[in-house]
Amino acid sequence: MASPRKKVIRFSRLYSFSCFRSSFGDEHSQIGLKGYSRVVYCNDPDNPEQILPRYPSNYVSTTKYTAINFIPKSLFEQFRRVANIYFLVVACVSYSPLAPYSAYSVLLPLMLVIGATIVKEAIEDWRRRKQDIEANNRKVEVYDRNHGFQIARWKKLRVGDLVKVHKDEHFPADMLLLSSSYEDGICYVETTNLDGETNLKVKHALDVTSNMHEDDSFKHFKAVIKCEDPNEDLYSFVGTFYHDGQQYPVSLQQFLLRDSKLRNTEYVYGVVVFTDHDTKVMQNAIEPPSKRSKIERKMDKIVYVLFSLLVLVSLIGSFFFGIMTENDIDDDGELRRWYLRPDQTTAFYDPNRSALAAFLHFLTALMLYGYLIPISLYVSIELVKVLQVIFINQDIDMYHEETDGPATAKTSNLNEELGLVDTILSDKTGTLTCNSMEFVKCSIAGVAYGSGLTEVERVLAKRRGDALDDSEVTSSTSIQSDDGMAPGKSVKGFNFHDDRIMNGQWVNEPRADMIQKFFRVLALCHTAIPEVNEEKEILYEAESPDEAAFVISARELGFEMYERTQSHISLRELDHESNQKIDRPYELLHVLEFSSNRRRMSVIVRNVENQLLLLSKGSDGVMLERLSENSQDFVAVTMDHVKRYAEAGLRTLVLAYRELSKEEFSLWEKEFLNAKATIGIDRDALIEAAADKIERDLILLGATAVEDKLQKGVPECIEKLEKAGIKIWVITGDKMETAINIGYACSLLREDMEQIVITLESPEMTELEKKGDKEAVAKASRESIANQIRRGTRLLSSSGGRSALIIDGKSLTFVLSQNLEDPFLHLAINCASVICCRSTPKQKALVTRLVKKGTGRTTLAIGDGANDVGMIQEADIGVGISGVEGMQAAMSSDFAIAQFRYLERLLLVHGHWCYRRISMMVCYFFYKNIAFGFTLFWFEAYASFSGQPAYNDWYMSCYNVFFTSLPVIALGVFDQDVSPRLCLKNPELYKEGIQDILFSWPRILGWILNGIICSVVVFFFTTSSAVHQAFRGDGQVLDFEMLGVYMYSCVVWTVNCQMALSINYFTWMQHLVIWGSIAVWYAFLLIYGAFPPLFSTTAYQVFIEACGPSPFFWLGTLLVVVSCLLPYLLYRTVQTWFFPMPHDIIQLWQRGTSDDRNGKLREKDTLLCK
Amino acid sequence: MSSDDVSSLPSKKVSRKPIYSRFTQQELPACKPILTPALVIGILICLAIIFIPIGLLALSASENVVEVVDRYDDACIPSTNQKVGFIKDPATNKTCIRSLTVPKKMRKPIYVYYQLDNFYQNHRRYVKSRSDRQLWSPKSESSTNLCDPEGQTGDGKPIVPCGLIAWSLFNDTYALSKNDAALQINKKDIAWRSDRTHKFGPNVYPKNFQNGPLIGGGKLDENIPLSQQEDLMVWMRTAALPTFRKLYGKIETDLEANERITVTIQNNYNTYSFNGKKKLVISTATWIGGKNDFIGRMYMAIGGTSLVLAVIFSLLYVFKPRPLGDPSYLSWNKNPQ
């Protein structure tokens, strides 16, 4: 820090719009009132008011639990699930004599299940805690009156502390900017972490504090800030700064947000205003809306169905139990079933109070048939989804080498939802395109330069079948592979090829002077800052990629901007006489920045020849109005070029300049500075008016065309997704022409499609608008849109073919606010593709909601910028592109991918698989529990519904945990119906998901029915085969214990073999878990049966002594298992033969072509197949 | 948010590229069974080939079993309306003589069973009403908490063996004779070995058994330890269903065809209260157990069905072949461009 005032630049003077002086507004009157009660005593740690622990220290904790509350809180979280409560109640009641089985046998699985979930919570929380520790222990310099600035940890910071932050450091808390290394107290901050915007923002300290540039200047500094209470609004701050008896208003201009980064500024001094959870960033860190997948919601319904079934079955049992119990003593007082001692019994079996007994039995039955509700379903699904997510994250085919970006699933809730997507709502810039702007063409003085074909042109030409040399097309495509990073000498942002201009050849062009001026405008009219890196290369720090592209192309063509100071911009130019590079400084007088309102930008400079120049660039419409009346002959030609560029999918800007006379300038400057100095609401308008005055009578130079390249693979991806039956809506802020052309380029629109355009840009509307009668305009607009929609609907039904709907933002506003949603939606969903252009972020979210609510189908929103966050959060699934525009979209998304084309794999492969796996898994879960639970019920029917379970307690409690859990998890994690290559090759497979046929009610009920059939077969085959007579050669008969083992073995075999029959993909793992589960059952029998009888009770040596040696036992098992599975096998056979589902066909085809073995599909095989 | 900052620091720049392995890319070698016609037909034929012989074997084994069943509950009681009164009256003479004919030669060992009907040994109250602890160890004599109301006598002494199961011990007796010569019924080793050695204690003797006001079933000799009371052990292995057989004893001699056997029954046990039937069963056993046609028939049925289906599918396959696995069947390929 040799000289802190090394850079003495008063940038604040240049920024006309963004560096206003704050003024007292309405909000300031509220200071001290409710919502504005915060008082900060700056640099006054001994102040008694400040010592009071009113505000927390800066220790940040984002963890859900602490060491103390972990157990109770996590348990509470667990028992918020209905199913878990049911099992907890069951576990508690099982200590009472009501229970049909011992309490431990219920508690153990419940504890296992809940324990697993709690461990998962603990691990997640531990990760969060590690992040917190890291953040809390970062270091920052804090002012201590006695010792100057000292290093301290972030967590030690307190409200009112003075803090010094250096270049490229993060702000530890929300702070008020006091001064910076710059003379006038400005600084640059990067807020990528907060809003995803990569451009730098300028902050401006109060004049009163901006002169404190030294560490010691704070020795006697004291001030008080009164400001608003913590809130989550990132874009406002209201406060008053009291210093030396004066009041100064402070606003967002002086406010530095935690987690944003100091850039291009050596250091700043600030005072901490908000700490910890009071900071805007933390206030914003609310949980993103938690999304649940449709399947899970449906699953809840199935659980309710099963609950009803459970109650029904219990009621039936209780009814018969009541009757039987009542009959135990007949009317004469004689005991019927005397061996039950009905004369001397408890309430549970009392014939005299049979209604009560029946009711108590009902409770018992609810517990007994609890096996109908799969206790481990939720935890298994959670586990499976976490594992699926690992596979998604690990997919090497979704890894993007350039950005080092793998696919990341932020949540594991929505994996299977990926297989159900009906509509994709996509942003354009940065999502379909790379958002890396490249200068490709320009038109100077009516001559078009730039020979390369744009991607859009290429695609369009290809589609028209133009006689484009095929090899040329492919070769140029391959050169431009991967985001336009051509090999060799390629320069990012520059993709311009024209020998007439490049390498200094422009000198020989007829209008060389115009060309020179043109590139000077490019090199001067911007706000980029040059930075020299280690390799002596000049890099530019620009607000937007467009701007960077301009400066870079100016450099490439010989107008290199190499230095920018407060007052000068220096260019290194090729002189067109001496043909040598000379340095030319320009004095920078004013910058009239770009704003979306003005849609133009100008600078006023003085060159070496002492000429005053106004250099402007802006959108064609705005600039056209400002050209001088007696303009050049080539205006029309240039505009024609601009139109053609727009059609080629390029972003255009028109460049113009004007020479100012000294008098004119000084006159204007006075007015302008006056306007800048005004305080008040109309200040903006005044400045704009002043700017407007000078930006006129411009002389046209030409137009630039910047290409935002389509990302690699986008057209192919969109084509695939369309084939998969997914509708794609593009919602963009671009112009209609650009949007339409991009639509063509990415095969969203085709030549054979009928275009239905809804727009308000008709001459009549413009006429009306000019009159200024707002009400009339609104009315007419509504009429017009309603008409257009009606016409569109007619057109759609008459054409019968594929149509595309294009609507602009203005019309969309009316559609969304004027009750036109329904006809619009009706029209839109019948169109093959929809493009909404010129739409705002809010409209993006509203359209998403409209589609989601209106169609009830699954929507997926994909975007990359902060303006897509609303849409991403609104949609059922939000996908963020972790790309150029920062991380905001990726952070708020459910899945983040690096490129749009990975969406294809994410949906068609992973989505399809996950949907299939989860729906299979859920169906199977219900099947296996019903198959088991109903055997208990049939047995009850033969045990006078007394509530005696057919099996040993521990068999039952281990059923869900040990004997059937792993195969179903393996199904959920590993099963693949079709290889990924074929998934991609046959996108129609995806329709299984859109139509939800794998998780439809008939299918679910079919599985439930299959479960019931299996239970019937198991019970009646086992009992009728073995009950009276001896079942062994030594004359022994089958008793209660052995029947349990016999039936249970049949159930374990059946459900596991059913699994083997229903999965499509056998690796060693499937073999291991399926056959392993069966083996575990026998191992369990052996081990458990070896314990002393007091523990093992009915299982004591039952297998080794009684069942194992009996051939009958094994024959019976085989018979039952085959009988259970045969119906399913036949059903599947008939289905695959006569009513094949898409995946059946593809599977057979895959087998026929045996492509998975050869890796590549051979053409010959395809032919053989047909 | 802070975590992302950390990961983006250049010092920690580690490629986030997933590591390739067949496992993580879900490309493990796998077999993908598909129900092709050939496979299905193959499976069905295999099933038929396995099941039909097994069925035949099981049926023939069952055919070799000779079984004599004699229901005596209605015959061994005076045909009055006072059946229950008769059976409950300790003074009446309950001896009853039945005669059976051996239909075919029966080879030893021949098993004698009693079969009860409509008797819910699997009722929850009944099943629970025992004390394994007490049965095994003399020290745990008083652990009778599950046995009520047959846990303790009126004056609080523990009943050994306690509980409803023991209390309702079956107590009809059968004495067989052939041509006036008594046929020995061997009652040894009719219980499971594990019961004799690990469940019923050798030092546990019956105490206070059947001393209550209401007599249930049979009595036990207080001088024989439980580990030798095999009738009790057999009885206490509760039956699975309300109709059940239990082993009564074994006859260690062959019986010839058409031999007449006289059975002297002490018809003590009360099944009349709940309309239960009582049957005496004399049967031989083979490897498959007793007479059991069900399993053989089911095997034949499944095998036969498989065979028929295999034939049907084969015919369909031959005469009406369908081009399976043709992607042109998929709707989106029906109109190739």
Side-chain angles (χ1 to χ4, degrees), chain A residues 657-684:
Chain A
Y657 83 106
R658 169 151 94 100
E659 245 185 88
L660 303 174
S661 67
K662 281 206 182 77
E663 300 76 44
E664 190 187 1
F665 175 68
S666 56
L667 210 69
W668 173 82
E669 190 177 36
K670 219 162 121 197
E671 189 187 340
F672 183 65
L673 291 178
N674 270 343
K676 266 176 100 171
T678 6
I679 295 172
I681 304 154
D682 49 351
R683 180 176 175 276
D684 261 0

Side-chain angles (χ1 to χ4, degrees), chain A residues 903-953:
Chain A
L903 196 59
E904 180 185 349
R905 192 173 171 87
L906 187 67
L907 295 185
L908 297 188
V909 178
H910 290 283
H912 174 74
W913 279 351
C914 289
Y915 163 67
R916 203 186 153 74
R917 289 167 180 173
I918 295 284
S919 50
M920 282 274 293
M921 181 178 163
V922 175
C923 287
Y924 177 81
F925 239 105
F926 291 124
Y927 158 80
K928 81 175 171 71
N929 277 58
I930 283 174
F932 178 66
F934 266 87
T935 57
L936 287 168
F937 179 69
W938 307 130
F939 181 79
E940 282 311 280
Y942 284 81
S944 67
F945 292 104
S946 59
Q948 174 62 33
Y951 312 112
N952 183 296
D953 299 352

Side-chain angles (χ1 to χ4, degrees), chain A residues 339-341 988 1035 1105 1115, chain B residues 113 120 125 150 194 299 332:
Chain A
Y339 52 91
L340 295 176
R341 287 303 294 272
E988 186 117 339
E1105 184 187 35
L1115 279 185
Chain B
Y113 303 91
Y120 288 89
R125 177 170 165 81
E150 292 299 330
S194 59
Y299 263 97
W332 73 92

Side-chain angles (χ1 to χ4, degrees), chain A residues 432 714-722 728 746-748 900:
Chain A
L432 298 176
V714 166
E716 294 83 355
C717 174
I718 288 187
E719 216 164 316
K720 281 274 170 60
L721 294 176
E722 280 204 324
I728 298 170
C746 56
S747 34
L748 208 56
F900 183 82

Side-chain angles (χ1 to χ4, degrees), chain A residues 193 338-341 344 394 396 404 917 942 946 976 988 1025 1030 1035 1039-1040 1065-1066 1100 1105 1115 1137, chain B residues 5 16 25-26 31 37 113 120 122 124-125 150 194 198 237-238 242 270 290 292 299 322 331-332:
Chain A
N193 275 343
W338 55 269
Y339 52 91
L340 295 176
R341 287 303 294 272
Q344 214 176 353
Q394 286 293 321
I396 210 158
D404 190 28
R917 289 167 180 173
Y942 284 81
S946 59
Q976 340 182 327
E988 186 117 339
S1025 68
D1039 61 25
F1040 173 73
Y1065 188 74
F1066 266 100
Y1100 182 66
E1105 184 187 35
L1115 279 185
W1137 281 24
Chain B
D5 302 341
R16 299 197 291 159
Q25 300 309 312
Q26 311 193 51
C31 98
Y113 303 91
Y120 288 89
N122 56 10
R124 185 153 73 106
R125 177 170 165 81
E150 292 299 330
S194 59
H198 288 98
R237 281 250 175 174
T238 49
N270 176 12
N292 186 357
Y299 263 97
R322 288 176 66 90
S331 47
W332 73 92

